[in-house]
Amino acid sequence: MKILVVGGAGYIGSHMVKRFQDTDHEVEILDNLSTGFELNAQNYKLHICDLSNKDLVYQILKENKYEVVMHFASYINVGESYSQPEKYYKNNVTNTLNLLDCMIDLKILNFIFSSTAAVYGEPQNIPITEAQKISPVNPYGNTKAIVEKILKDYDEAYGLKYIALRYFNACGAHIDGTIGERHNPETHLIPLILQAASGRKKNFTIHGDDYDTKDGTCIRDYIHVMDLAEAHLLSLEDLIKTQNSEIYNIGNNKGFSVKEIIKIAETVTNTKIPYEIAGRRKGDPAQLIADNKIITEKLNWSANYSDLNTIIKTAWKWEKHLSKSN
Ligand code: UDP
């Protein structure tokens, strides 16, 4: 199949693109390089384009006759989504609509969408099944929930077939050490802990130790980015075969607290990680753990890299690469 990976120069998108290397699919990237890196796209045809430029998006889709579009290009920083909601609604919703409208016009009707566990807000039950109520508590989560609703309506009205993957906490780096997570500014837990371990950052801040959890710090479900990429590939192939739209949780059914992650990182890096405790971060639920039964049973997907040791080892290799090149 000929596939366009929108946001393919970014963290998850670049692991997706790399996953296609051992397949028969033909892949191109569309990216505005606002947060992604040209280096990640160096072996592929790259269309540098912002999704707000609908005419250009239309032209690229028309000329290249893609059969599937995968959409990874969104802003993901919850804190920033509170201070700059306009940026989030414009990019994550309006620009996604531009893309979808071009696809509908050109009859490209297969779509893979990066959604998030943030659509659940404060979960009613743990682990979280896909059937739980959608009730985001921050603007970032709102943008993804809105797009999920749009997809459902576009399916009914225009026959757009889609898979929305609700990611829990994406982390880790490619095992070959060539690509990994790099955000600027970095706000994610594991890269920040490892920056404190490598000395690139003076210390690490725990955002809140007064949550109703075993040690007071937040619990998350950490899923390796290569397992995420595999879930996308299986979803895409199933979508093409069955033409059934679906929503899947992508997590590992296991929760780890911030303090537990620090401990594992100390063992893997053989370093004492300096940290301080600060207040809670706005919009952080105490606990998010996936129930991944549906994708596991339907697509025979399993998380093969998501034990915390592998996650931290691969992320540590990547951090050492980054700290050397900085
Ligand atoms: N976290 C933290 N300090 C940091 C960054 C994150 O204590 O500097 C905590 C955060 O409160 C959350 C967890 O680590 O409970 C994971 O946060 P991250 O930003 O990596 O992902 P999110 O869960 O927000 O998608």
Side-chain angles (χ1 to χ4, degrees):
M1 300 234 108
K2 189 162 181 189
I3 300 164
L4 181 66
V5 180
V6 179
Y11 170 46
I12 301 171
S14 61
H15 286 79
M16 184 70 244
V17 166
K18 200 171 163 81
R19 178 63 187 85
F20 281 121
Q21 277 177 352
D22 314 324
T23 70
D24 295 331
H25 300 295
E26 186 189 344
V27 178
E28 295 185 0
I29 296 173
L30 185 150
D31 204 296
N32 66 2
L33 299 179
S34 63
T35 57
F37 296 88
E38 203 160 358
L39 202 63
N40 287 340
Q42 64 182 341
N43 299 321
Y44 306 88
K45 180 157 178 196
L46 168 67
H47 304 275
I48 299 175
C49 170
D50 193 281
L51 292 179
S52 62
N53 187 346
K54 195 172 174 181
D55 291 343
L56 183 56
V57 173
Y58 187 88
Q59 194 189 315
I60 293 168
L61 293 189
K62 188 169 183 201
E63 274 170 15
N64 293 287
K65 299 195 169 40
Y66 305 108
E67 295 155 278
V68 183
V69 174
M70 306 182 86
H71 182 27
F72 294 88
S74 60
Y75 293 129
I76 57 163
N77 183 333
V78 170
E80 190 184 61
S81 79
Y82 279 111
S83 58
Q84 299 179 57
E86 184 204 357
K87 176 173 168 182
Y88 279 69
Y89 285 105
K90 276 201 173 135
N91 185 58
N92 295 6
V93 181
T94 311
N95 288 348
T96 298
L97 267 177
N98 283 345
L99 175 64
L100 290 174
D101 290 347
C102 294
M103 288 175 61
I104 303 294
D105 275 357
L106 293 162
K107 305 260 178 303
I108 304 169
L109 296 174
N110 295 300
F111 189 63
I112 310 286
F113 177 62
S114 302
S115 189
T116 170
V119 298
Y120 296 114
E122 276 294 347
Q124 297 143 304
N125 295 301
I126 297 287
I128 307 169
T129 63
E130 290 86 346
Q132 267 197 44
K133 205 170 101 222
I134 298 308
S135 182
V137 292
N138 54 57
Y140 164 66
N142 285 338
T143 65
K144 295 288 183 175
I146 291 169
V147 173
E148 283 196 9
K149 287 189 179 139
I150 292 171
L151 292 175
K152 186 164 179 289
D153 293 341
Y154 274 34
D155 183 355
E156 274 168 31
Y158 310 125
L160 177 80
K161 299 300 167 195
Y162 68 92
I163 308 285
L165 298 168
R166 292 180 182 156
Y167 307 164
F168 282 67
N169 285 64
C171 53
H174 202 281
I175 42 168
D176 75 4
T178 55
I179 50 175
E181 188 166 13
R182 188 175 357 170
H183 299 112
N184 191 13
E186 188 53 76
T187 60
H188 290 104
L189 179 73
I190 292 174
L192 286 173
I193 288 177
L194 295 180
Q195 285 179 17
S198 72
R200 276 212 294 155
K201 255 182 95 72
K202 241 184 33 232
N203 68 2
F204 168 75
T205 305
I206 295 181
H207 294 306
D209 68 346
D210 58 349
Y211 286 93
D212 185 16
T213 59
K214 53 190 164 189
D215 62 19
T217 63
C218 285
I219 292 179
R220 293 287 180 274
D221 184 333
Y222 293 90
I223 184 80
H224 195 285
V225 64
M226 289 175 68
D227 287 328
L228 267 181
E230 193 63 28
H232 285 76
L233 180 62
L234 294 172
S235 300
L236 178 152
E237 290 177 341
D238 190 65
L239 181 68
I240 300 305
K241 204 167 67 200
T242 64
Q243 288 291 285
N244 282 335
S245 297
E246 291 285 354
I247 294 177
Y248 297 120
N249 282 341
I250 312 291
N252 195 28
N253 289 19
K254 294 189 179 86
F256 291 89
S257 74
V258 173
K259 283 190 173 163
E260 285 175 327
I261 302 284
I262 294 175
K263 255 216 169 95
I264 301 167
E266 288 188 328
T267 308
V268 170
T269 63
N270 198 21
T271 315
K272 184 93 199 116
I273 294 166
Y275 70 85
E276 60 183 19
I277 312 275
R280 293 182 179 195
R281 213 169 56 169
K282 203 172 159 189
D284 265 348
Q287 199 173 170
L288 294 172
I289 302 173
D291 182 326
N292 66 16
K293 192 163 168 235
I294 297 189
I295 187 162
T296 306
E297 289 186 353
K298 249 192 107 175
L299 303 186
N300 207 13
W301 172 81
S302 57
N304 296 328
Y305 298 96
S306 294
D307 62 286
L308 251 302
N309 234 10
T310 306
I311 286 173
I312 308 247
K313 266 191 190 152
T314 56
W316 181 230
K317 187 170 172 186
W318 178 244
E319 167 57 24
K320 283 191 288 190
H321 165 78
L322 287 182
S323 49
K324 244 189 263 150
S325 53
N326 266 346

